[in-house]
Amino acid sequence: MDEFIALERVEKVFEVRRRTGFLRRERREVRAVDSLSFTVARGEMVGYIGPNGAGKSTTIKMLTGILTPSGGRLRVAGIDPARERARLAHRIGVVFGQRTTLWWDLPLIDSYRLAHRMYRIPDARYRENLDRMVELLELGDLLDVPVRQLSLGQRMRGDIAAALLHDPDVLYLDEPTIGLDVVSKAKVRGFLREVNAERGTTVLLTTHDLQDIEQLCSRVMVIDHGRLVYDGRLAGLHEAGESERTLVVDLERELPPVEVPAARVVRVEGPRQWLAFPAGQSAAPVVAYLAERYPLVDLSVREPDIEAVIARMYAEKAVS
Ligand SMILES: Nc1ncnc2c1ncn2[C@@H]1O[C@H](COP(=O)(O)OP(=O)(O)OP(=O)(O)O)[C@@H](O)[C@H]1O
Ligand SMILES: [Mg+2]
């Protein structure tokens, strides 16, 4: 099946009641997801990003069947999640970084034993998966430790293992690296890459850490106010965000700002000058032009900062 996850004009409206005075209440609608359509193919690893309150977690909850859409059509592996939540549970794994699914007071291994029974995982398969997970996620020394005694990074690795023991076809990750130090983040990312490559698991990854996306996802979807505002390659965001690349040139000596078509000097420091030009454009003509007319010693191109691009994108959409 090519469209493994498919959303067609999906909506989710929450009704919130607010006290506005003595005995007076106001009803207000929050449109958390608004006419959202996208598809994800089997084996894809897609980043799902957007500012706080954009509707990311709400989308994931609908994809697991925890929440029922207010409108539209939604399918995961051909299953309507809200109608057949139990059947879907065998096909998906979920990690909510902000909330553990493990048994807090019990040793880690007990949560896995429970999953073994709950999902009716064949014994040999369970053992094989557990061994692999323990090895890759370095859980060996942690299995007998009560979950509440684990550090955040250890707990997150434990949660990820729990989500994968039953060999799901899809893995939803809602901020799986939140609060982790750089070493733990690297471990989690390495593991996810491996799972995706080895098992062909389809992964939908929500995060505020753009390095997660840069290192893992060839495709990224940006959601804002419940609507999809970008779907494509991460690199393409630069163009969508109208960002600029910077050419840093070292001249033989201090000179007035150089003059080049299609680029402008944004900074001068002694013999070094910084030129900005559109990110979608090649640096070659700018370099050729400069080399012909100025005494160049050295140069380098700096890519735009993806964080800045996305921040600008969020800001633009917020006003429109
Ligand atoms: N159960 C609920 N009842 C009422 N409103 C809700 C509920 N859950 C979410 N919302 C609202 O829906 C909107 C989207 O929330 P959601 O949690 O999906 O955002 P998010 O993109 O995951 O944000 P964050 O990056 O902060 O996790 C927000 O305005 C939120 O307040
Ligand atoms: Mg969220």
Side-chain angles (χ1 to χ4, degrees):
M1 198 186 316
D2 232 279
E3 297 183 350
F4 203 62
I5 300 175
L7 286 81
E8 250 179 67
R9 294 192 296 278
V10 169
E11 315 226 317
K12 181 66 195 179
V13 180
F14 291 110
E15 202 170 273
V16 252
R17 283 159 204 273
R18 216 170 39 137
R19 236 202 158 101
T20 52
F22 185 67
L23 289 181
R24 199 136 46 105
R25 266 163 200 236
E26 184 189 75
R27 277 201 303 177
R28 204 168 51 91
E29 282 190 347
V30 175
R31 196 166 289 270
V33 168
D34 189 5
S35 196
L36 184 64
S37 304
F38 66 78
T39 60
V40 176
R42 193 183 263 264
E44 260 192 299
M45 197 156 177
V46 182
Y48 194 46
I49 65 174
N52 289 132
K56 304 179 296 293
S57 296
T58 303
T59 309
I60 290 187
K61 285 174 188 162
M62 289 193 284
L63 288 170
T64 61
I66 298 173
L67 286 176
T68 309
S70 319
R73 186 172 185 277
L74 199 156
R75 292 288 181 278
V76 178
I79 298 172
D80 179 345
R83 288 190 158 205
E84 291 187 273
R85 190 170 160 193
R87 186 156 81 95
L88 184 68
H90 289 267
R91 308 288 301 273
I92 63 172
V94 197
V95 176
F96 287 107
Q98 313 246 31
R99 203 194 63 202
T100 184
T101 54
L102 303 168
W103 288 82
W104 198 239
D105 290 314
L106 302 180
L108 185 58
I109 187 73
D110 285 9
S111 288
Y112 298 158
R113 288 190 182 123
L114 197 82
H116 179 191
R117 263 184 292 157
M118 212 168 74
Y119 291 110
R120 298 196 194 92
I121 308 166
D123 291 350
R125 192 76 197 133
Y126 168 75
R127 232 160 280 129
E128 198 181 305
N129 280 349
L130 185 62
D131 287 349
R132 186 91 181 102
M133 229 70 87
V134 165
E135 181 201 326
L136 283 173
L137 289 166
E138 299 171 37
L139 296 171
D141 298 333
L142 307 176
L143 290 174
D144 295 319
V145 180
V147 171
R148 67 181 142 69
Q149 287 176 21
L150 298 178
S151 77
L152 182 63
Q154 293 168 337
R155 200 271 287 158
M156 200 73 84
R157 276 158 28 219
D159 255 302
I160 293 173
L164 287 166
L165 280 177
H166 60 295
D167 284 322
D169 298 308
V170 190
L171 181 61
Y172 306 127
L173 300 157
D174 195 350
E175 303 191 39
T177 58
I178 191 165
L180 303 192
D181 64 42
V182 280
V183 177
S184 299
K185 276 185 185 178
K187 275 185 201 163
V188 166
R189 287 174 189 150
F191 175 75
L192 293 175
R193 202 177 297 123
E194 193 128 347
V195 167
N196 174 253
E198 218 173 66
R199 307 189 186 195
T201 311
T202 308
V203 179
L204 190 65
L205 168 68
T206 286
T207 182
H208 287 290
D209 186 334
L210 292 170
Q211 280 188 6
D212 287 346
I213 308 281
E214 279 181 313
Q215 292 180 20
L216 295 174
C217 307
S218 50
R219 174 181 169 199
V220 60
M221 295 190 289
V222 183
I223 182 178
D224 194 10
H225 290 96
R227 286 175 167 268
L228 200 63
V229 295
Y230 180 82
D231 184 354
R233 288 175 315 112
L234 184 63
L237 261 177
H238 292 309
E239 286 128 59
E242 289 171 2
S243 61
E244 294 185 313
R245 291 203 284 171
T246 310
L247 184 67
V248 186
V249 295
D250 287 322
L251 304 168
E252 254 173 36
R253 58 185 181 280
E254 221 170 294
L255 284 174
V258 298
E259 279 171 37
V260 190
R264 57 178 214 290
V265 175
V266 290
R267 192 170 149 202
V268 178
E269 237 172 60
R272 176 170 283 192
Q273 303 198 8
W274 283 259
L275 282 78
F277 64 101
Q281 189 182 302
S282 162
V286 181
V287 172
Y289 187 95
L290 277 170
E292 233 171 69
R293 291 164 184 82
Y294 295 94
L296 283 187
V297 178
D298 199 6
L299 49 81
S300 65
V301 178
R302 290 195 189 152
E303 294 304 321
D305 175 12
I306 190 74
E307 311 247 348
V309 172
I310 292 189
R312 192 154 56 222
M313 188 164 195
Y314 290 174
E316 272 166 25
K317 302 295 168 189
V319 289
S320 64

